[in-house]
Amino acid sequence: HLFDRLSSVVPGCLIEFDIDDETLAVILKMTATGSGAGALLSLVARWPGSTTADGQAGGVTQDLHGGDLTMHLDQAHAEDFLTWFRDQP
């Protein structure tokens, strides 16, 4: 249900889980294109855990490649993000 809701907020968002081979931790990977990329960037920017006083939070990375925006959140940040998103109206 949560991923369906995320896909409706971020049109065309592809949501995947990956494994970080070095740390054996789960990574949340969200990819969107075009207007969906803007919506994804905006959504993650609204989440209080996306930044620290020094800039982007460690464990949260973004990659822009050929019009595709991919956000990677390490396991702890993914849990925090999904918990925050679940409670959003």
Side-chain angles (χ1 to χ4, degrees):
H1 173 71
L2 188 59
F3 287 172
D4 289 340
R5 191 166 146 243
L6 183 57
S7 292
S8 72
V9 171
V10 180
C13 186
L14 176 63
I15 304 160
E16 302 174 278
F17 285 104
D18 235 349
I19 300 292
D20 181 332
D21 293 331
E22 292 180 22
T23 62
L24 297 177
V26 175
I27 303 293
L28 173 64
K29 181 179 168 183
M30 300 177 287
T31 304
T33 303
S35 64
L40 178 58
L41 193 57
S42 176
L43 178 65
V44 173
R46 283 193 350 240
W47 168 52
S50 67
T51 58
T52 66
D54 298 324
Q56 189 149 2
V60 177
T61 59
Q62 56 183 307
D63 179 38
L64 184 60
H65 182 70
D68 293 342
L69 172 67
T70 302
M71 299 295 303
H72 295 91
L73 283 70
D74 68 15
Q75 188 167 343
H77 287 91
E79 289 175 26
D80 289 345
F81 172 77
L82 292 172
T83 299
W84 169 82
F85 181 71
R86 179 190 63 206
D87 296 335
Q88 295 304 296

